[in-house]
Amino acid sequence: MAYANDCDAPVTLKVLVAGGFGAGKTTFVGAVSEIEPLSTEELLSDLGAGADPLHGVEAKTTTTVALDFGRITLDDRHVLYLFGTPGQHRFWFLWEELCAGALGAVVLADTRRLADCFPAVDFFERRGIGFIVAVNEFDGCHRYTPEEVRDAVGLGPEVPVVRCDARLTGSGTVTLASLVRHLLCTSAARSMSTTSTPLSTDSGET
């Protein structure tokens, strides 16, 4: 998380939007961003069919090759920067750079290809970056409960699982609010753990 040096300048908060290929990351960033989002989408071609299988997302015609970027002004002092990660395996080398200074992450899950979100979950767990899983409910797809998704992904009870529609600004905003609440609760729990000390059982005798 980057902070401005000038006390009058806003504090910038960095959040990643990750997930598998075609999970809706670009759509999510575009829906919630107050500015025209920066997108690095390129057209899919027949040459990339082997690297980017379209099973379950046959209507997809473009793909992110670097990042998506959006911005949300929370208040006079806080600005949220959103960075959407590329979903394809061959672009994962960019994730390390993108996650530097990140406050937390939203992992978008597509129940048509649920296993595609596993690498993102593993990535953030290994680096100790707080995240939530947001199930992007596509039209015509079977609806699963958050607990069913939690069991399928193998998440602990401490990781929130929420439903969202990446196309809708309100739904995306609620998802980001869920992430912030989760991060605040985690931070408070850690603070209490480090400040509390066990009662001494030392009698003072030698």
Side-chain angles (χ1 to χ4, degrees):
M1 185 166 43
Y3 295 91
N5 292 325
D6 188 342
C7 62
D8 293 327
V11 177
T12 59
L13 312 171
K14 181 179 182 180
V15 166
L16 300 186
V17 180
F21 175 62
K25 300 178 294 296
T26 299
T27 301
F28 184 96
V29 173
V32 298
S33 177
E34 67 190 20
I35 62 171
E36 184 68 26
L38 168 66
S39 180
T40 57
E41 287 206 308
E42 296 290 343
L43 289 172
L44 290 169
S45 67
D46 293 338
L47 293 175
D52 303 320
L54 297 177
H55 175 66
V57 290
E58 289 81 5
K60 188 171 177 60
T61 59
T62 60
T63 184
T64 299
V65 297
L67 60 88
D68 299 306
F69 175 77
R71 186 186 72 198
I72 303 173
T73 299
L74 301 178
D75 53 39
D76 292 341
R77 290 284 297 138
H78 300 88
V79 176
L80 186 66
Y81 288 155
L82 298 173
F83 290 80
T85 65
Q88 306 95 310
H89 185 276
R90 66 183 183 278
F91 295 128
W92 285 355
F93 68 92
L94 293 170
W95 286 33
E96 289 288 354
E97 201 166 328
L98 288 174
C99 80
L103 180 70
V106 173
V107 175
L108 282 179
D110 177 357
T111 56
R112 300 169 300 178
R113 298 155 55 115
L114 191 58
D116 286 3
C117 78
F118 292 178
V121 168
D122 183 65
F123 180 88
F124 296 121
E125 284 182 338
R126 287 177 179 273
R127 288 156 183 80
I129 296 174
F131 68 96
I132 67 171
V133 171
V135 182
N136 190 11
E137 298 189 321
F138 288 87
D139 293 337
C141 294
H142 182 75
R143 298 292 192 257
Y144 295 91
T145 68
E147 288 309 309
E148 287 176 320
V149 174
R150 180 188 305 282
D151 291 342
V153 180
L155 296 170
E158 73 282 358
V159 180
V161 179
V162 300
R163 291 182 170 129
C164 79
D165 186 331
R167 301 168 298 182
L168 304 179
T169 300
S171 182
T173 301
V174 169
T175 299
L176 290 170
S178 297
L179 171 64
V180 172
R181 283 196 299 270
H182 171 57
L183 296 174
L184 288 174
C185 289
T186 302
S187 177
R190 288 176 179 170
S191 178
M192 290 180 62
S193 175
T194 56
T195 56
S196 62
T197 56
L199 292 176
S200 174
T201 58
D202 186 359
S203 64
E205 296 179 357
T206 58

